[in-house]
Amino acid sequence: MESKSITAWQMFLLVFSYTLGTAIFLRPGELIFTTKQDAWLVPLWCGLAGTVLAIFWLLLARKFHGQSIVQICLTVLGKKAGTLFGLLYAWYFIHLSSWVVRNLGDFMSATIMPRTPITAFHLLFLLVCTYAVIQGIRTIGRVSEFLTPLIFLTFSLVWITRGGDWNFERFLPVFELNLWKSIIENRQMLAFPFMETSAFLMIFPLVHDGKYVKPFLKGVVLSSLTLSLVTFLTIGILGVVRASHLTYPLFTIAKEIDFGNFIQHVEATTTMFWIFAIFVKLTVSFYCATLALCQLFHIQQRGVVAFPLIWLIAGIALSDHANVVEMMDWDHKYDFAYQLLYSLFIPLLLIAVSWVRRNHVRHGSEESV
Amino acid sequence: MPPAIWKLPVVVILASFLLAGCWDMKEINQLAIVNLIGVDTHKNTDKQELYYQVINPKGIATQAGAPEKATVYTYRFIERLGDQFEDISPDVIPRQLFTQHYQAIVVSERYAKSGLRELLNFKEGHPERGTNVYLLVSDAPIDRIMDSFIPLEPLPGRSMRSIIENQSEMTGRISTHTRMKDLIENMETGQISVFPIITYIGEKSSENSNRLEHIQGTNGNIALLGGALFIHDRMVGKLTKDEMKWYNLLNRKHERFLETLVINGESVQVKTLNTRLMKKLELHGEELILHIQIFANTNLIFNDQKVPTTTTLFNQIEAEFNQRIQKESQRFIEDSRKKGWDVLGIQYLLHLKKGAQWKRLAEDKDRWKKVKVVISSHNKIETIGSLISPYKGE
């Protein structure tokens, strides 16, 4: 079982990279399609709602200090019901991992390596992640420390080299956003990536000295600002028309870098660094799935769980959605409701049951007196 | 079993995972690197004529002193746009077509007039191709352009790109905002796009690399003729080279602008260096007025005046230049209006305005025709070159 811990800084980087992970590739184009030139505002209100949810999870974690969400389920609901809900969370993390790995496979197939079978990406990526998962959270934290500056640097270089294509006219007319309509249309943005950060309910007990509150909140807030900035830059460089038609506008921005007729076609190099962010997201969700099963069934060695999970995740990744359009359709119609279950309803249920049980115990002890 | 023995197969198996990259392996000797693409409508069918000009590596690597070899080969296919790439090219080309580095795409005038939507979707939707390349419209039969060797520059695609970029830098007659992606952006907003028209000088194409041994540089070469004007995805008209200059200036397509003035009966040539443009659409009662202000630092690049070079002369040149800009711009706008072309994108500007009143105005699709345009120019001579006082010859 995991006993090593990560520092507050590593926790912050994990939250930041995890939240950006696949969202930074998939969300800007979709947001610009629905909300046009004001799309950059959507991550801000989603981030705000995500922060409120984050505070709620932090309260839950504080109430059950030192326990992961699976352990909280067992404590509050007892062995049978707790195991059932714990398994639900384990499934959720497995499902999340399969989405992430499928997003990666779709991206690689559609952009850089169209002839390589998508399963090759899934298996190879999962294999690397499995190694990280077996090594433990401290290793994942250290890798994140090493990779995040590279991701940040690559993004910065891409935006700087594309600065010549900037046009402020692309933001006109400004602030035409209908807030309520935008909330309804883009509610899936709250689900993915912000509700998905509920996975950190598994990681909180592993943060050194329990200092996870500030890093977690900072990570959520900063990633929402970054998503907003990336969407803003995408509009300014590509324009609403192109960005809303492209599956991966960020990739197109990198592909069209032409700096002084000298630096061109650097999309493969830049993509390689951006994939590090996906690596962090996949590793964290995979780690949570492994840890959840280990905690439920008292398994000491993570490798025993992690290796079989490779096949399960790779299988679900292939069968869950046939293509990226199906995935987006599912995301638009059901993701918000699906994520609500794990990020709000079950935690609420846990709090309610613990409150009822505490009151019941107190009431019982008063009666016995 | 000693540990070293069982570790070896594990290492080999793990290393073999790296072979997964071989599915997308691209060996340079197996690639047909495309430099220029041409598209035309096929006369008798609904298919397209597609030309791929592929680089001949041996021709490029010709040693100094050795006779010039064919630097490119042109392959022609008659197929539907989406079919040809994977289906047809392996029939003729012994290498894998590689289109990531093509420099330009030339379309025939008749194809441009029939609409480029399908071509744009085809290019934008494929990871290997993309639309970040110059789009040119051919005034001449496209096979003449695609089947010709061009002097000085071994790769015709590269030559076209250089001409566009040099013209843009020197005269401002052509903008570098003439890539396929620029057409895509304007296609759905209804704004006008202008792309260079090229023609071929000569009776027949220069199909043999022996042409490179001829001293005649102009004949058997390509030249830029003017501009093809697109509304949505269709070519609807042409601009002359002179009109291109005004179009680019009034739409902030480039910072350079070259003009020859006659002052005191003698020539003066001026060039703006960093043109800045401000457009402001205002509503005065029921009348819409578009104010265009042009600011630039000007370089005096040719001065043949017989009067002394003084600030009075400079004031005279500046005033004449400003007046020319105002007068010629207005003339260009009026001529375009008569042809039904909203060259200033006024209707689009109406859509960018906030408020119900502006929305109501934008609903009238011909509103742009009723907008009054007021142009003011503010040029200041900044540099004069090395001849402060021209020779009078007397």
Side-chain angles (χ1 to χ4, degrees):
Chain A
M1 209 74 81
E2 184 71 273
S3 59
K4 291 172 182 174
S5 60
I6 52 171
T7 62
W9 172 243
Q10 287 169 340
M11 174 69 179
F12 162 73
L13 292 178
L14 282 179
V15 177
F16 182 65
S17 298
Y18 176 91
T19 316
L20 292 182
T22 42
I24 207 163
F25 288 93
L26 292 167
R27 283 297 184 224
E30 205 183 322
L31 290 180
I32 297 166
F33 179 75
T34 54
T35 326
K36 309 294 176 202
Q37 68 276 9
D38 289 328
W40 60 278
L41 293 167
V42 178
L44 297 179
W45 71 252
C46 286
L48 190 69
T51 310
V52 173
L53 274 173
I55 292 168
F56 168 64
W57 300 325
L58 288 168
L59 289 174
L60 179 74
R62 201 176 67 171
K63 193 172 166 61
F64 298 94
H65 185 69
Q67 292 187 51
S68 71
I69 186 74
V70 169
Q71 289 168 326
I72 296 171
C73 286
L74 291 167
T75 308
V76 175
L77 303 171
K79 198 175 177 188
K80 284 182 184 169
T83 306
L84 181 72
F85 279 86
L87 277 173
L88 266 179
Y89 271 102
W91 158 252
Y92 173 58
F93 301 137
I94 290 168
H95 205 184
L96 269 185
S97 308
S98 74
W99 283 340
V100 177
V101 85
R102 180 58 195 252
N103 287 340
L104 173 96
D106 283 335
F107 174 72
M108 291 299 287
S109 295
T111 54
I112 298 172
M113 300 172 83
R115 291 177 189 173
T116 305
I118 198 166
T119 313
F121 298 118
H122 295 173
L123 290 178
L124 289 173
F125 223 74
L126 281 166
L127 205 67
V128 177
C129 290
T130 307
Y131 181 73
V133 167
I134 292 170
Q135 289 302 307
I137 193 70
R138 188 176 283 180
T139 306
I140 298 170
R142 281 176 184 166
V143 170
S144 175
E145 255 182 313
F146 175 69
L147 295 180
T148 311
L150 293 174
I151 301 165
F152 185 77
L153 188 74
T154 321
F155 268 109
S156 309
L157 284 175
V158 167
W159 302 124
I160 290 166
T161 50
R162 287 301 308 270
D165 290 310
W166 185 267
N167 186 355
F168 270 113
E169 219 171 62
R170 290 172 173 144
F171 293 95
L172 297 175
V174 289
F175 303 124
E176 291 237 309
L177 182 81
N178 179 334
L179 188 64
W180 182 245
K181 194 177 161 219
S182 143
I183 289 172
I184 299 294
E185 274 184 348
N186 298 299
R187 62 195 183 283
Q188 72 276 13
M189 172 87 192
L190 177 58
F192 164 49
F194 295 104
M195 283 180 174
E196 287 181 359
T197 48
S198 63
F200 281 88
L201 281 166
M202 292 297 296
I203 313 278
F204 288 153
L206 303 172
V207 182
H208 187 64
D209 285 345
K211 289 177 181 172
Y212 53 79
V213 178
K214 278 186 185 172
F216 186 59
L217 288 176
K218 276 183 192 171
V220 171
V221 171
L222 200 70
S223 54
S224 85
L225 292 175
T226 309
L227 276 170
S228 170
L229 181 70
V230 168
T231 312
F232 185 78
L233 294 171
T234 305
I235 296 168
I237 288 169
L238 279 187
V240 170
V241 172
R242 288 189 78 206
S244 58
H245 282 81
L246 295 165
T247 320
Y248 305 106
L250 209 59
F251 178 76
T252 304
I253 287 173
K255 195 167 77 169
E256 291 177 356
I257 287 175
D258 186 356
F259 195 64
N261 280 347
F262 177 64
I263 300 170
Q264 296 173 330
H265 286 284
V266 289
E267 64 269 23
T269 316
T270 49
T271 303
M272 191 182 76
F273 287 103
W274 292 347
I275 283 173
F276 290 157
I278 303 182
F279 167 81
V280 173
K281 176 153 190 177
L282 180 59
T283 310
V284 168
S285 52
F286 192 11
Y287 179 80
C288 291
T290 311
L291 192 64
L293 291 171
C294 285
Q295 287 177 348
L296 277 173
F297 301 108
H298 306 287
I299 300 166
Q300 295 299 319
Q301 288 182 312
R302 284 188 295 277
V304 175
V305 177
F307 277 111
L309 277 185
I310 292 179
W311 306 108
L312 186 62
I313 292 169
I316 296 168
L318 271 186
S319 57
D320 204 29
H321 301 104
N323 50 54
V324 74
V325 175
E326 254 186 36
M327 181 169 242
M328 282 178 171
D329 192 45
W330 195 93
D331 171 62
H332 189 70
K333 286 177 182 165
Y334 312 113
D335 198 32
F336 180 70
Y338 181 70
Q339 301 272 2
L340 267 181
L341 175 69
Y342 299 99
S343 59
L344 189 66
F345 293 151
I346 298 181
L348 271 178
L349 177 79
L350 293 172
I351 288 175
V353 172
S354 75
W355 184 76
V356 169
R357 286 182 72 170
R358 197 180 57 191
N359 277 4
H360 185 73
V361 169
R362 195 185 294 163
H363 192 66
S365 59
E366 278 172 7
E367 271 183 2
S368 63
V369 170
Chain B
M1 198 186 292
I5 294 176
W6 71 261
K7 276 181 184 172
L8 188 66
V10 172
V11 170
V12 170
I13 290 167
L14 287 176
S16 69
F17 286 130
L18 299 173
L19 294 172
C22 294
W23 268 298
D24 273 285
M25 180 189 70
K26 284 190 176 85
E27 180 61 49
I28 194 156
N29 291 330
Q30 294 166 0
L31 295 179
I33 300 168
V34 178
N35 184 251
L36 179 66
I37 294 176
V39 188
D40 192 5
T41 318
H42 190 238
K43 278 179 196 166
N44 306 320
T45 63
D46 62 342
K47 294 179 178 178
Q48 283 87 37
E49 286 180 23
L50 295 130
Y51 296 81
Y52 286 91
Q53 205 167 75
V54 173
I55 297 171
N56 173 21
K58 285 180 184 167
I60 293 288
T62 305
Q63 297 214 339
E68 298 268 10
K69 285 182 180 175
T71 49
V72 287
Y73 297 115
T74 301
Y75 292 89
R76 176 172 173 256
F77 309 106
I78 299 170
E79 276 302 324
R80 283 199 61 80
L81 198 59
D83 299 338
Q84 48 69 43
F85 208 67
E86 276 78 15
D87 293 355
I88 305 301
S89 61
D91 293 347
V92 201
I93 307 177
R95 292 182 173 204
Q96 191 185 324
L97 268 181
F98 182 75
T99 51
Q100 276 200 359
H101 292 279
Y102 74 105
Q103 304 286 322
I105 183 160
V106 184
V107 297
S108 68
E109 198 177 316
R110 62 182 171 193
Y111 185 61
K113 283 178 176 168
S114 72
L116 301 185
R117 189 187 54 82
E118 192 185 11
L119 176 72
L120 296 171
N121 278 325
F122 177 63
K123 294 288 173 195
E124 184 85 320
H126 198 284
E128 229 185 49
R129 293 188 277 271
T131 53
N132 193 26
V133 288
Y134 292 112
L135 171 70
L136 300 102
V137 177
S138 164
D139 183 60
I142 200 159
D143 55 344
R144 208 169 287 177
I145 286 179
M146 297 304 293
D147 293 340
S148 290
F149 287 104
I150 289 168
L152 270 185
E153 185 66 72
L155 305 173
R158 179 72 225 175
S159 174
M160 288 174 196
R161 180 178 174 160
S162 301
I163 288 173
I164 290 171
E165 286 171 358
N166 291 342
Q167 277 274 12
S168 163
E169 187 60 30
M170 289 189 280
T171 68
R173 273 203 294 262
I174 292 179
S175 159
T176 47
H177 296 285
T178 51
R179 296 171 191 255
M180 290 176 91
K181 64 179 183 181
D182 298 305
L183 180 57
I184 291 174
E185 193 169 354
N186 291 343
M187 186 168 73
E188 300 209 344
T189 56
Q191 287 186 88
I192 276 176
S193 314
V194 175
F195 295 88
I197 295 180
I198 55 164
T199 193
Y200 181 79
I201 304 165
E203 291 297 308
K204 56 178 185 172
S205 51
S206 312
E207 293 174 346
N208 199 307
S209 64
N210 289 342
R211 185 262 173 275
L212 303 173
E213 297 292 313
H214 283 229
I215 195 167
Q216 276 279 349
T218 310
N219 278 338
N221 204 344
I222 54 163
L224 288 166
L225 206 65
L229 193 136
F230 283 75
I231 297 180
H232 295 293
D233 67 326
R234 281 169 204 275
M235 179 181 164
V236 293
K238 289 181 185 178
L239 295 181
T240 62
K241 273 204 278 192
D242 199 47
E243 286 173 326
M244 293 271 283
K245 188 170 70 177
W246 297 109
Y247 171 81
N248 287 335
L249 176 73
L250 294 170
N251 287 286
R252 204 171 29 196
K253 295 288 179 189
H254 212 280
E255 292 179 345
R256 301 283 189 268
F257 181 79
L258 187 72
E259 185 70 348
T260 305
L261 309 167
V262 177
I263 293 170
N264 304 322
E266 303 294 342
S267 296
V268 166
Q269 199 170 34
V270 284
K271 184 178 172 181
T272 65
L273 296 175
N274 53 345
T275 315
R276 290 153 338 265
L277 191 97
M278 282 174 66
K279 278 186 188 176
K280 199 172 181 186
L281 194 58
E282 286 177 345
L283 189 61
H284 294 276
E286 278 300 301
E287 190 184 29
L288 273 167
I289 301 174
L290 176 66
H291 292 277
I292 300 178
Q293 284 188 293
I294 300 163
F295 303 88
N297 297 334
T298 309
N299 190 356
L300 188 65
I301 57 172
F302 175 59
N303 180 10
D304 195 27
Q305 293 291 305
K306 286 181 178 168
V307 295
T309 310
T310 58
T311 49
T312 313
L313 176 67
F314 279 13
N315 289 340
Q316 206 181 345
I317 294 170
E318 283 164 6
E320 176 65 25
F321 188 30
N322 288 334
Q323 210 174 18
R324 170 71 67 88
I325 287 177
Q326 288 164 28
K327 195 176 151 195
E328 291 299 313
S329 298
Q330 288 288 7
R331 190 185 56 75
F332 169 64
I333 293 163
E334 281 311 309
D335 287 351
S336 304
R337 269 189 184 169
K338 283 175 195 161
K339 290 171 185 166
W341 301 337
D342 178 14
V343 284
L344 296 176
I346 297 171
Q347 198 66 26
Y348 178 67
L349 288 176
L350 281 169
H351 280 285
L352 299 185
K353 288 280 189 181
K354 266 177 86 78
Q357 194 179 15
W358 288 102
K359 293 270 178 287
R360 186 175 53 78
L361 289 168
E363 278 170 16
D364 177 4
K365 286 183 180 167
D366 288 328
R367 189 76 210 185
W368 64 272
K369 290 178 182 168
K370 298 164 202 158
V371 175
K372 184 182 171 189
V373 181
V374 177
I375 298 168
S376 58
S377 173
H378 313 275
N379 281 285
K380 190 80 190 159
I381 294 174
E382 195 175 56
T383 57
I384 58 163
S386 55
L387 193 63
I388 191 162
S389 177
Y391 300 106
K392 292 174 186 162
E394 290 168 359

